[in-house]
Amino acid sequence: MRVVLMAGLLMAGTLPAFASGGLSCEAEGGPARIAVESGVTRGMGSPVFNFRGSAVISDTAIAEDLRTTAFTGEYLAQYWFDGEDLRLVLYREREGDKPHGYVEITVLTRADGDEGGYVGTYKLTAYDGTGDDPEGRTVKLDGKIGCFVE
């Protein structure tokens, strides 16, 4: 019994230790101001936790309630991090009883050579079903974004 117990303890000591770190992304000075912060766990797909983000769209063609959008983990539709690439898709629909509307942001970045640094682009689509146009109004924006992963 002692041999089995010692073997189990030795094996447990040889398992890899997984630490957690964080990720952050920022885009400023363009048609939208985007900020993302999250914890990230190392190993098994590097899952995120305590995810939060925001987008502030400067284009007044979109209704005010969509121009400032907050994101939590439930609005992180896709996430990819493999050390070379960091990709995010955020999607949030308008809440309440107004016509359909949403904000979708796709972030595509690649490691830039600086330890933990990632640079790339974002594409933002905002759809607003309110107004006179029966098709609604869609605004598409893009810009540069920088991220950091520790």
Side-chain angles (χ1 to χ4, degrees):
M1 183 68 172
R2 282 188 208 176
V3 172
V4 172
L5 181 58
M6 285 300 282
L9 289 173
L10 286 173
M11 287 178 60
T14 62
L15 293 175
F18 296 115
S20 60
L23 72 85
S24 61
C25 298
E26 260 189 40
E28 292 187 353
R33 193 171 63 238
I34 298 169
V36 171
E37 293 182 349
S38 182
V40 67
T41 302
R42 304 287 184 204
M44 293 308 295
S46 299
V48 297
F49 59 93
N50 293 334
F51 183 89
R52 62 195 169 281
S54 64
V56 179
I57 302 168
S58 59
D59 191 333
T60 57
I62 291 297
E64 189 173 338
D65 67 320
L66 293 174
R67 276 188 271 153
T68 301
T69 303
F71 298 92
T72 59
E74 69 184 298
Y75 305 111
L76 179 60
Q78 294 181 24
Y79 162 73
W80 174 268
F81 177 60
D82 67 359
E84 288 297 316
D85 296 309
L86 171 63
R87 300 175 182 202
L88 308 168
V89 177
L90 310 173
Y91 178 83
R92 182 161 185 181
E93 292 184 354
R94 170 185 274 145
E95 295 179 355
D97 55 352
K98 288 185 177 182
H100 181 64
Y102 66 86
V103 174
E104 179 177 2
I105 302 169
T106 301
V107 174
L108 303 171
T109 64
R110 188 159 195 86
D112 71 353
D114 288 339
E115 187 173 332
Y118 291 77
V119 295
T121 59
Y122 72 85
K123 293 182 182 199
L124 185 149
T125 301
Y127 170 78
D128 183 6
T130 62
D132 298 332
D133 188 350
E135 296 294 316
R137 181 182 312 242
T138 301
V139 172
K140 294 186 179 215
L141 308 170
D142 57 59
K144 298 199 178 296
I145 193 163
C147 298
F148 183 77
V149 179
E150 56 181 346

